[in-house]
Amino acid sequence: MTLGTMYFGTTVPEPTAARMLDEAYDSGIRSWDTANNYAFWVPGGSGDESETVLGRWLRTHPGRRDSLDVATKVGARPRPGSRDLADALGLSPTAIRTQVHDSLRRLRTDHVDLLYAHIDDSSVPLADTIGAMQELRRDGLVRRIGASNLPAPRLREAIRSAGNGEGYSLLQQRFSYLRPDADANLAPQVLLDEAVADACGSAGIGMLGYSPLLSGAYTRGDRPLPDGYATAVTARALRILDEVAASAGLDAGQTVLAWMGQRRQRVQPVVGVSTPAQLRSAATAVRTSLGIDSLTALDAARMGR
Ligand SMILES: NC(=O)c1ccc[n+]([C@@H]2O[C@H](COP(=O)([O-])OP(=O)(O)OC[C@H]3O[C@@H](n4cnc5c(N)ncnc54)[C@H](OP(=O)(O)O)[C@@H]3O)[C@@H](O)[C@H]2O)c1
């Protein structure tokens, strides 16, 4: 699994975040996900917090950097003075380079292992965005490049735009066991749907899925399903999920995490946690084997088959 750190330093206080980073590291969860805008939308947040907390942890744990896989994202940070995504710094070559240097400063590191283009920026040709990211890789500031929140047609265009250089190797989109209605409005988030998965499969792009737990809705009475997720297949899909969960000795949310990483079309879960207990729950989940029959039953039930 990848550890999502979106609320570290805002709603998750730094001491709790640091404890979870310690525990994650010690339990072998070494893939950490942040962005240069987490979490500007929280009251009092600037967007610096998550990277800053990770950077302080890295500084106080010298020697651990090389065994970590730190990913950050650029492009969706509002310009100074704005709190509006429509007014984001974007993905022009100059904007990307400036944002990466700011991220490296906050993260207190000389490189990131993975740099994502956070949300699509249609005002810049994809070839320019990808070219700028390739250049950062050549300069050693970035090890791999990826994209997030690209609909299938733009992803196909990005694959074509990579030129002779290595293009996006990973894609991070919204993904869970339950699928929302086709017309659900998730903007600015983009779903990892079948068309996206097919494009990734043909191009050899690895897939990561964020918001896998739907904020806890699989297990918590205080968390209703997000808008658009109550569809004609939801009740039956949840029943099958509960059956598989019971046979695996997991709860429903844990079962979703295990299923994502073990299904044929593997989608690595990017898991958000706010307590050490949630971190341990996720770590147990992704280490529990579900078996082929359960995986097949879940894949079918979510599609309404
Ligand atoms: N690329 C993008 O555009 C994008 C967008 C969104 C997120 N992300 C990444 O994905 C990560 C996860 O996103 P998310 O927070 O939306 O994920 P999520 O899986 O939908 O929800 C995580 C939340 O679920 C609850 N939870 C976690 N473990 C639980 C458990 N065992 N039992 C019950 N509830 C539990 C917690 O809520 P409470 O804290 O309220 O307890 C936690 O904050 C982020 O940290 C970020 O790194 C990326």
Side-chain angles (χ1 to χ4, degrees):
M1 62 175 266
T2 290
L3 177 68
T5 67
M6 189 158 68
Y7 291 114
F8 284 17
T10 51
T11 61
V12 179
E14 183 162 0
T16 310
R19 194 173 143 207
M20 291 194 285
L21 294 173
D22 286 340
E23 280 201 28
Y25 186 91
D26 290 342
S27 66
I29 298 166
R30 307 270 175 95
S31 166
W32 297 356
D33 184 79
T34 184
N36 74 344
N37 70 352
Y38 290 166
F40 77 85
W41 56 92
V42 171
S46 68
D48 286 355
E49 290 81 2
S50 171
E51 288 185 334
T52 300
V53 164
L54 292 194
R56 277 202 279 258
W57 188 94
L58 290 172
R59 192 197 53 188
T60 51
H61 295 78
R64 297 197 174 180
R65 174 69 187 91
D66 287 349
S67 53
L68 283 166
D69 198 322
V70 178
T72 195
K73 314 182 192 81
V74 294
R77 183 182 173 104
R79 290 175 200 284
S82 170
R83 298 183 74 80
D84 188 352
L85 266 188
D87 196 17
L89 291 170
L91 295 172
S92 71
T94 309
I96 290 176
R97 189 163 276 272
T98 308
Q99 289 174 81
V100 166
H101 280 287
D102 287 346
S103 287
L104 293 176
R105 182 177 39 77
R106 284 189 288 269
L107 286 164
R108 298 173 193 244
T109 185
D110 61 0
H111 73 279
V112 287
D113 300 280
L114 172 58
L115 178 70
Y116 289 103
H118 201 162
I119 52 175
D120 196 15
D121 180 352
S122 57
S123 72
V124 180
L126 275 163
D128 291 1
T129 292
I130 295 169
M133 294 171 83
Q134 289 169 333
E135 202 174 293
L136 288 166
R137 191 173 47 205
R138 282 195 291 277
D139 292 348
L141 303 186
V142 161
R143 296 271 155 89
R144 286 172 301 162
I145 64 173
S148 188
N149 300 305
L150 275 188
R154 290 287 281 172
L155 173 60
R156 287 193 286 266
E157 197 182 330
I159 293 165
R160 286 194 300 274
S161 299
N164 294 326
E166 200 184 311
Y168 292 142
S169 55
L170 291 161
L171 183 77
Q172 184 182 137
Q173 311 263 105
R174 187 178 172 103
F175 184 83
S176 187
Y177 168 68
L178 287 181
R179 300 156 66 238
D181 261 331
D183 56 1
N185 180 11
L186 305 171
Q189 302 193 340
V190 177
L191 207 61
L192 203 172
D193 60 15
E194 288 64 46
V196 169
D198 287 349
C200 285
S202 343
I205 295 174
M207 297 181 283
L208 291 93
Y210 65 75
S211 304
L213 297 174
L214 301 178
S215 306
Y218 290 106
T219 50
R220 284 162 64 165
D222 65 327
R223 295 289 158 87
L225 286 175
D227 286 348
Y229 279 79
T231 71
V233 309
T234 299
R236 180 169 171 275
L238 287 177
R239 189 164 45 72
I240 306 278
L241 179 65
D242 284 340
E243 286 169 16
V244 172
S247 70
L250 298 175
D251 70 31
Q254 288 178 304
T255 306
V256 171
L257 301 181
W259 162 79
M260 283 173 63
Q262 293 168 35
R263 63 201 288 264
R264 192 178 53 78
Q265 272 190 331
R266 180 172 187 272
V267 180
Q268 176 150 325
V270 187
V271 187
V273 290
S274 60
T275 65
Q278 290 178 354
L279 174 64
R280 276 173 231 137
S281 165
T284 300
V286 296
R287 292 183 179 126
T288 303
S289 183
L290 288 187
I292 188 71
D293 290 347
S294 295
L295 296 171
T296 308
L298 293 172
D299 273 321
R302 75 187 292 266
M303 301 303 291
R305 293 196 294 262

